[in-house]
Amino acid sequence: HVQLVESGGESVQAGGSLRLSCDTSGYTFSRGCAAWFRQAPGKAREWIAALDSDGSPSYADSVKGRFTISQDAAKNTMYLQMNSLKPEDTAMYYCAAGKRPCVLSYVDYWGQGTQVTVS
């Protein structure tokens, strides 16, 4: 049974950093990929980063150079390190897992989301 649980979201000031965590218990990375999405009020859910089963990351242009996706397989946990946060990064952040290329239509599992607010 796959259950994704995010944590780490909170309110921070612009320029600050946060690290989001996603407990990926039950999901086998070797089967596909995992990703982070975000959704701001009134906007569509946006793909921001993905981690393929071979460990290779990919990023949306909006976060490239500021965010880093990683995983600790031993802990069944995926992370999103977010630096140089901007007010436009304010959103609900979701952990997801599914099939390559791990974009919205290929997601099989979603977490419940964790709120990040940047002011």
Side-chain angles (χ1 to χ4, degrees):
H1 174 66
V2 177
Q3 186 173 11
L4 307 179
V5 181
E6 306 93 334
S7 61
E10 60 182 75
S11 296
V12 296
Q13 291 190 340
S17 298
L18 278 178
R19 188 177 78 160
L20 304 183
S21 299
C22 176
D23 181 342
T24 60
S25 297
Y27 181 72
T28 304
F29 273 89
S30 62
R31 295 180 179 178
C33 55
W36 288 95
F37 290 74
R38 68 185 180 187
Q39 188 166 19
K43 295 189 176 181
R45 191 164 295 193
E46 173 191 17
W47 172 88
I48 55 173
L51 197 62
D52 208 334
S53 55
D54 64 1
S56 59
S58 54
Y59 300 96
D61 288 343
S62 58
V63 305
K64 195 174 296 182
R66 300 188 299 122
F67 291 11
T68 302
I69 188 172
S70 63
Q71 65 162 310
D72 184 332
K75 295 182 178 180
N76 292 316
T77 303
M78 182 173 67
Y79 302 100
L80 185 68
Q81 177 66 44
M82 306 186 294
N83 298 328
S84 302
L85 284 162
K86 306 174 182 180
E88 51 264 42
D89 293 319
T90 295
M92 185 72 78
Y93 283 70
Y94 296 91
C95 173
K99 297 175 284 293
R100 300 186 185 99
C102 243
V103 294
L104 191 62
S105 58
Y106 285 76
V107 171
D108 295 320
Y109 306 101
W110 290 100
Q112 84 288 350
T114 186
Q115 178 68 38
V116 172
T117 303
V118 184
S119 60

